[in-house]
Amino acid sequence: MSWELFWLLVEASGLTILYSGVSIVIGFVLASGICAAMLSSHRLTANGGRLYVSFFRGTPLLIQLLLVYYLLPKIGLNVPSEIAAIIGLSLSTSAYQAEILRGGFQSVPRGLLEAADMCGLSAFASFRRIRLPVAVRLTLPALTSEAIMLLKSSSLVSVVGVVELTTMAKDLASSTYQPLPIFAAAGLVYLIINLVVAGFGRLAERAAKRGHA
Amino acid sequence: MTSLLSYLTGEDGRNILSGLINTCILWVIGSGLGAIFGFLIAVARRYGPRLIDYVLQASVEVIRGTPFLVQIYLLYFGGPYLCLSLGEASACLTLDPFEAGILGLSVYGAAYYSELFRAGFEAIPRGHVEAAETVGLDRWQTLTRIILPEMTMLVLPSMVNMTILLLKETAVLSIISVKELKFQVDIIGNRDYAFVESFTILALVYWALVEICGALGRAAERRLSRYRFAHS
């Protein structure tokens, strides 16, 4: 296995990072809404949020991706497979992130919120200054592992014809007849990306902890 | 609806049923072996020499840091490649899709289960182990009477989650043509040009299996709650 082949894998990993990065961000935005729905006191909204999370956490991502891929054209949306893949990944990760956020918000100690109330903070100020920062601090490790999970799962978009690291590895493996070194190299590239993400996660945790007991 | 039900009879029905059974076999054996190996890894890392701990930690990190699909490709296509490059057909291990699937699931599961058990070992308060020694329990009794029951309670929820994750990963095995549920339903969906329908039904079946597994897990948790210790 030559350096040129390895370089092709590294280049393709840029697309993997792009697709998973975009999906994580879109997923986080969706997750904030779903989390708010789940924590809402309106019964129907809360149950809707829970159903959404249960469905996307209860079905294989491979099937979600294929479903989105075939469903979009059927309802008249002819989007490229890359967009379909990003939609599928975003929907899936939004459910996991929503569940993580819900756990975080629910473990913010009640005493903190009562204290904020006593100090005369408005509901908004109490959310922005107390609930949000504490919840973010509590959920950062879990959000980092979810980002790593999604990066790994993004390899599944290769089955709907999207070009990224795994697709490239598969093509190279069949054109060079060297599956073992090429898939091992692809695994190595994933591992390096994930170690970097984990490192950033730890940095973010440390930054969030600064100034807190 | 009648047309949907017609798939459940005759040849199609038999294929779907065999796919469902294969999925369950892969799931049960994969997560069973994964849990056993995971436990052994956790024990070896805790009680074994430092070197073994490092080697196992590195292996676990590699498995947890790479996609399941890439691992499966490596297992499935790597064996024949080794044969060709070594030039000796008898000396190499070539796995059929099903074997590669079981092996892949067990290895992937073992890495994650071992981390759960490791966290479980660490979460047991030292005082409980010291108390067991003080009242005269030997090492084996401490393990079977104190550590394991407490740990079961601690790791049960995350073990159920992990087992559910492995069920969902079995669908990935259809990519290397393991004849499990998704593979069989795919064939019918392709033949009748009914992709959305077949994937919707697949999603619902997996969802049901996951919810059943989650409910069983919660029931087990309730039954075992007598082992729960008070958190200080």
Side-chain angles (χ1 to χ4, degrees):
Chain A
M1 163 148 190
S2 61
W3 279 109
E4 286 95 86
L5 291 183
F6 188 70
W7 189 244
L8 282 174
L9 290 178
V10 173
E11 276 181 352
S13 76
L15 291 169
T16 287
I17 296 172
L18 175 73
Y19 297 140
S20 13
V22 170
S23 306
I24 287 168
V25 172
I26 299 177
F28 184 78
V29 176
L30 290 176
S32 313
I34 298 156
C35 172
M38 278 199 289
L39 293 175
S40 126
S41 49
H42 190 265
R43 203 62 173 283
L44 206 63
T45 318
N47 283 336
R50 270 200 283 276
L51 195 69
Y52 178 96
V53 168
S54 158
F55 177 78
F56 283 99
R57 292 184 44 184
T59 50
L61 175 61
L62 178 61
I63 289 169
Q64 294 168 16
L65 286 170
L66 288 164
L67 195 54
V68 170
Y69 182 73
Y70 285 110
L71 188 65
L72 287 180
K74 224 176 185 185
I75 55 173
L77 287 167
N78 277 310
V79 294
S81 50
E82 286 80 4
I83 302 292
I86 288 179
I87 294 176
L89 288 176
S90 308
L91 290 175
S92 169
T93 188
S94 72
Y96 287 94
Q97 291 190 40
E99 186 65 17
I100 293 168
L101 290 177
R102 186 188 62 84
F105 276 110
Q106 283 186 339
S107 19
V108 174
R110 282 209 62 78
L112 286 184
L113 303 176
E114 283 160 8
D117 231 14
M118 295 302 286
C119 296
L121 264 67
S122 67
F124 178 73
S126 155
F127 178 81
R128 202 183 95 68
R129 300 276 175 187
I130 312 288
R131 276 192 93 176
L132 193 61
V134 174
V136 165
R137 202 143 41 90
L138 289 174
T139 53
L140 263 178
L143 287 176
T144 310
S145 4
E146 171 53 22
I148 290 173
M149 271 313 216
L150 186 81
L151 245 160
K152 295 195 296 166
S153 311
S154 75
S155 64
L156 291 177
V157 305
S158 59
V159 295
V160 291
V162 176
V163 176
E164 42 74 78
L165 182 47
T166 303
T167 322
M168 182 58 87
K170 218 166 63 180
D171 291 351
L172 290 179
S174 50
S175 61
T176 62
Y177 302 109
Q178 295 184 316
L180 192 69
I182 287 180
F183 285 125
L188 181 69
V189 175
Y190 274 110
L191 187 62
I192 293 170
I193 300 172
N194 285 331
L195 288 177
V196 171
V197 173
F200 274 124
R202 273 194 296 276
L203 278 184
E205 273 169 56
R206 207 170 309 155
K209 261 198 198 115
R210 198 166 298 148
H212 294 279
Chain B
M1 203 58 210
T2 47
S3 62
L4 264 184
L5 284 176
S6 70
Y7 283 109
L8 293 178
T9 54
E11 176 114 40
D12 284 351
R14 271 200 298 283
N15 286 342
I16 293 173
L17 187 66
S18 85
L20 184 63
I21 291 170
N22 275 341
T23 288
C24 290
I25 292 174
L26 285 162
W27 180 26
V28 170
I29 298 185
S31 48
L33 288 178
I36 293 169
F37 287 127
F39 184 73
L40 293 178
I41 293 172
V43 170
R45 285 189 62 182
R46 190 175 170 82
Y47 297 108
R50 184 68 62 83
L51 184 69
I52 289 186
D53 182 23
Y54 287 148
V55 172
L56 287 176
Q57 186 187 3
S59 320
V60 166
E61 287 305 315
V62 167
I63 293 167
R64 291 188 347 138
T66 50
F68 183 59
L69 182 58
V70 172
Q71 295 169 12
I72 288 294
Y73 280 149
L74 204 55
L75 278 175
Y76 184 53
F77 296 115
Y81 168 79
L82 263 186
C83 293
L84 285 174
S85 54
L86 293 176
E88 207 178 323
S90 58
C92 55
L93 132 138
T94 303
L95 300 165
D96 72 23
F98 200 83
E99 293 163 354
I102 293 260
L103 186 62
L105 277 176
S106 320
V107 170
Y108 187 75
Y112 280 91
Y113 281 123
S114 79
E115 286 293 283
L116 301 183
F117 287 124
R118 206 171 59 90
F121 273 128
E122 270 165 24
I124 294 170
R126 273 217 59 78
H128 292 204
V129 179
E130 282 162 9
E133 276 165 21
T134 314
V135 296
L137 268 62
D138 61 34
R139 243 181 124 160
W140 176 249
Q141 284 172 323
T142 313
L143 185 72
T144 54
R145 303 273 173 101
I146 309 293
I147 297 182
L148 286 184
E150 283 190 358
M151 204 171 76
T152 310
M153 198 51 227
L154 281 170
V155 299
L156 195 67
S158 27
M159 274 196 69
V160 173
N161 270 341
M162 192 52 221
T163 309
I164 286 175
L165 206 137
L166 284 180
L167 167 65
K168 292 185 287 172
E169 297 290 4
T170 61
V172 174
L173 298 176
S174 64
I175 299 175
I176 57 162
S177 68
V178 177
K179 294 186 174 52
E180 44 73 81
L181 183 61
K182 177 179 173 293
F183 186 85
Q184 299 287 12
V185 176
D186 257 5
I187 293 176
I188 299 170
N190 284 334
R191 183 195 65 200
D192 295 351
Y193 208 69
F195 303 107
V196 174
E197 291 84 346
S198 63
F199 292 130
T200 308
I201 288 170
L202 273 175
L204 292 177
V205 172
Y206 280 105
W207 194 11
L209 284 176
V210 166
E211 286 300 325
I212 291 170
C213 183
L216 288 177
R218 282 189 294 275
E221 253 174 83
R222 267 196 303 278
R223 278 208 64 143
L224 292 174
S225 58
R226 64 199 167 105
Y227 291 126
R228 198 203 311 265
F229 57 80
H231 287 277
S232 50

